[in-house]
Amino acid sequence: MNTDEFEIFPWGGEFLTHIPEVDHQHHYLVDLINRLARTVLEGTDEATADGIVAELRDYARYHFETEEGIWARAFRDDEWFASHCRAHAGFIEELDRIATLQGPEEYRLQPLLEFLVRWLTLHILRSDKQMAAAINALEAGLGVAEARERAARHFREQSPAGLESLLNTYVSIEQQVSRFAKQLAVRGQEEAENRFRTLFDCFIHPLLILDAEDGSVLEANPSACTLTGHTESELKERSIADLHPDDERERVAALLTAPPEAPAGNDSPPLYSRVRSATGRDIPVRITRGGEIRDHGRSLRIAFYEDMTRELEHRRELEWLSVNDPLTGLPNRAGIMQALEEATTEHDETALALVSIDVDNFRALNERLGMAAGDRVLAELSRRWRDRLNGDVLLGRRGGDEFILVLRSTETIERLEDVMRRVIEAGHHLPVTDKGAGGASENVSVSAGISIRPARSGLDPETVLRQADHALYEAKLRGIRAWEYFDHGQYQRVASRHRTINAFRRAMQNGELSVEYQPKVNMRTGAVLGAEALVRWRHPDRGLLAPAEFLPTIENDPVSIDLGEFMLEEAMRQMEAWRRNGHHLPVSVNIGALQLENADLAQRLENILDRHPEIPRADLEIEVLESTAFDNAAAAEANMRAVRELGVSMSIDDFGTGYSSLTYIKRVPANALKMDRSYVRDMLEDADDRAIIEAVVGLARAFDRLVLAEGVETVEQGRILIGMGCENGQGYAIARPLPPDALEGWLEHWTPPPEWSAVPAPA
């Protein structure tokens, strides 16, 4: 019987409703029922059965939604329509019930087929066609009531006997399909047994069928005979435990004769053991216990054996390759680092030297002579190094043309220069063909970076290797000598810088920063011009740190931008607080080079200003170092102009120490110039410093800039500055940096020294 052509329901005119969309979907259901009938005939598995049920469920939901949408246009509020929808819901419920049935798959598929036969006959051939007839009558111009009556009359005139006959015919066909499927199952039992025997004998791995109770061997396939060296008849005379060495028998018997409730198959972990062959050789095997089967009341079990000899050899090869280089036979990078980790400790009292080696221009040699010649060069170079270096030197290949030397003894490290000369000399006349000494050869040079870890330094091998790589990079750049030593002093400075930056970043997160304010005044009149905001770091270990102790370290790191924004926000907040207390006190804030050149400076500054609308923008002043403003003149100048357009004041700090020039002063959009404290400090003794101060004051007047002297520490310095035309000052002679509350108290009592007030105002 060709089941591919079998149809329990050939599609015909009796199914048509004459509504194309509905007929198309009904045709799909008929095809699905026919497919289900063929599946019952051929037999199936769980996945196929689940797929059919899922397909039916998807079809039903889609079809019912479509059909109900059509019926609802005419009969939405009619009990006829409601009854139809309830029938659809019942279909889904019955489908779900059948899907949960337990047992062989025919327990689900045969009831499903019977249900679908009745649904097709009673619902589609009767209910759907009657409702479709009413829809067609409506479209012909009849009213709802008349259309319903015409459809009902049409179906009353149909012979009930004809419909019942059709139902009986289809049910009979469905029953014949089920009986035929059972006959096929009986006939297939013998075929299945033959297929099992063929598979059992041809299976590539050893299989044994055992008595599940006593472990005696009942059947053995040819692969099992090959593994053990015994014939099938010899194996049948033994128990499964007899095939294993004495120390393994108990474990094997426990696995393969375990009670039925113990896990089996994929749930039972494999057992790694040994089989004692007929020749007395022990063979490594992996044993997997199959499930229990019944044969005429007897419990049987299948044992799967796998010869692990080649797998173990392959595993050992992989383990070797994981730490060794196949071309040279040397340890690879992982092998060397593993040896170092095992041989060194954090407080090792032995010095350690790592040398990172790179063959010069090796890529060009490969391209010129080919990869085979390149491999010969590397293999011969490695062999010579092994021969010429003593046992205190560990040699490895990192990959490509890169190698590592490890010197573990103090004596060998003291002879490091000699070792490096041997390394370099080994590159002379390396063969590039397999013709030996008479063949072509090449001279190759190498570059190397050396890092020596002092005893008890605490540096791990990975760090020392990175240092050696850095020195190798320097050697390649300079090209002066074949090797370079790593600069540990520079490394310590860089490491210290990173530690400080990371600690400062944590300080910002933990609220360890505070702000103090140093007043700026007119020294002659005593008028307070404002205050400069100065950051302080309350370090958990080192106490209160002044800016000079950390700002130079962080100035080129992005955290300096975070600090600048923190200071701007704090300045605006503090001006608000002072304003509430009746004090009008402008504040200046220093920003670094990264923040000054940042393309977002103006936008981010405006966001801060907008959060404090009650503070006049001119009350905030931004200070930039003269050298900073000129490092990236174009970007700095553009940002300074953008800041000035926001209404914020700007001043040049430490003026006179950088690029002071007429063009510079003219171009930079700053309101004020702050003279560097170094000129003020020495002006009483140094005529040159006084001359510089006079020049700066003259430039400020010429370009209409305010000028202020930093570092005014004595009354005499202030008096001289006032006499030279510089009335504005900042320094210890006026006030030290103060916390916000202390500054308010200072404001109440501040008066300038009489020596300053006595200096006449400039003409």
Side-chain angles (χ1 to χ4, degrees), residues 655-666:
F655 187 79
T657 60
Y659 307 93
S660 305
S661 69
L662 296 176
T663 302
Y664 172 77
I665 297 173
K666 177 183 177 182

Side-chain angles (χ1 to χ4, degrees), residues 572 575 586-587 602 605-606 609 615-622 639-650 669 671:
M572 298 297 290
M575 282 191 282
V587 174
L605 176 59
E606 186 171 20
L609 295 169
I615 301 299
R617 293 188 173 188
D619 282 2
L620 177 65
E621 180 180 68
I622 290 180
N639 270 345
M640 291 172 73
R641 293 192 183 281
V643 168
R644 293 287 291 121
E645 289 172 2
L646 293 176
V648 175
S649 304
M650 294 208 72
N671 307 74

Side-chain angles (χ1 to χ4, degrees), residues 187 227 234 302 464 662:
R187 190 170 68 236
L227 173 70
E234 290 174 339
I302 299 179
V464 182
L662 296 176

Side-chain angles (χ1 to χ4, degrees), residues 184-385:
L184 287 178
V186 172
R187 190 170 68 236
Q189 179 66 32
E190 182 179 350
E191 296 177 1
E193 291 177 357
N194 292 334
R195 286 199 300 271
F196 174 79
R197 170 53 62 179
T198 301
L199 290 172
F200 182 79
D201 290 341
C202 296
F203 197 67
I204 189 171
H205 292 299
L207 294 178
L208 297 167
I209 298 179
L210 318 173
D211 187 306
E213 295 181 359
D214 61 18
S216 58
V217 178
L218 304 178
E219 298 285 346
N221 72 349
S223 294
C225 298
T226 301
L227 173 70
T228 62
H230 294 291
T231 64
E232 183 178 3
S233 59
E234 290 174 339
L235 288 174
K236 289 181 178 180
E237 296 172 356
R238 300 169 181 263
S239 73
I240 192 66
D242 294 338
L243 300 178
H244 295 266
D246 293 343
D247 59 339
E248 292 288 314
R249 293 183 178 185
E250 186 176 345
R251 289 199 312 137
V252 172
L255 173 74
L256 298 179
T257 60
E261 61 271 13
N266 293 334
D267 296 327
S268 178
L271 175 69
Y272 292 87
S273 180
R274 303 186 311 280
V275 164
R276 178 70 51 82
S277 73
T279 61
R281 182 170 68 93
D282 283 356
I283 303 169
V285 293
R286 177 168 55 207
I287 309 170
T288 303
R289 188 186 77 180
E292 186 174 303
I293 55 178
R294 305 289 295 179
D295 181 32
H296 300 92
R298 190 179 188 184
S299 296
L300 308 181
R301 177 162 292 133
I302 299 179
F304 299 81
Y305 276 65
E306 294 177 73
D307 186 345
M308 299 292 291
T309 303
R310 295 188 64 180
E311 183 173 329
L312 291 176
E313 291 174 352
H314 182 59
R315 188 179 301 170
R316 284 192 290 270
E317 180 182 358
L318 291 178
E319 289 174 353
W320 186 88
L321 288 173
S322 69
V323 292
N324 291 281
D325 171 52
L327 175 64
T328 63
L330 298 174
N332 59 18
R333 186 187 189 281
I336 286 184
M337 300 313 294
Q338 178 179 310
L340 285 174
E341 294 289 349
E342 293 171 355
T344 60
T345 62
E346 183 179 355
H347 302 292
D348 200 336
E349 296 186 359
T350 306
L352 174 71
L354 260 65
V355 184
S356 181
I357 302 174
D358 180 80
V359 178
D360 296 331
N361 303 314
F362 184 73
R363 178 180 294 180
L365 184 147
N366 251 344
E367 293 174 351
R368 180 163 52 88
L369 300 176
M371 294 184 64
D375 286 348
R376 288 192 186 93
V377 166
L378 295 177
E380 177 61 18
L381 190 59
S382 302
R383 187 193 65 78
R384 292 184 184 182
W385 282 340

Side-chain angles (χ1 to χ4, degrees), residues 38 120 146 156 165 222 241 281 303 319 396 463 465 527 550 571 573 619 656:
R38 289 195 293 270
L120 190 66
E146 189 177 358
R156 281 197 301 271
S165 174
R281 182 170 68 93
E319 289 174 353
T463 300
L465 181 57
F550 56 88
R573 187 190 62 78
D619 282 2

Side-chain angles (χ1 to χ4, degrees), residues 471-526:
L472 171 62
Y473 176 75
E474 293 294 328
K476 288 281 191 182
L477 282 181
R478 296 176 186 175
I480 300 172
R481 54 181 297 179
W483 62 85
E484 286 288 343
Y485 288 89
F486 178 74
D487 186 341
H488 281 270
Q490 181 185 19
Y491 169 78
Q492 292 297 335
R493 291 189 293 274
V494 171
S496 175
R497 176 176 178 271
H498 283 297
R499 284 195 297 269
T500 299
I501 289 171
N502 290 334
F504 188 81
R505 188 172 285 113
R506 289 192 299 271
M508 293 196 66
Q509 296 169 353
N510 297 337
E512 296 173 10
L513 303 185
S514 61
V515 182
E516 293 184 349
Y517 298 86
Q518 187 173 35
K520 299 185 289 186
V521 303
N522 182 301
M523 296 182 288
R524 187 178 60 81
T525 67

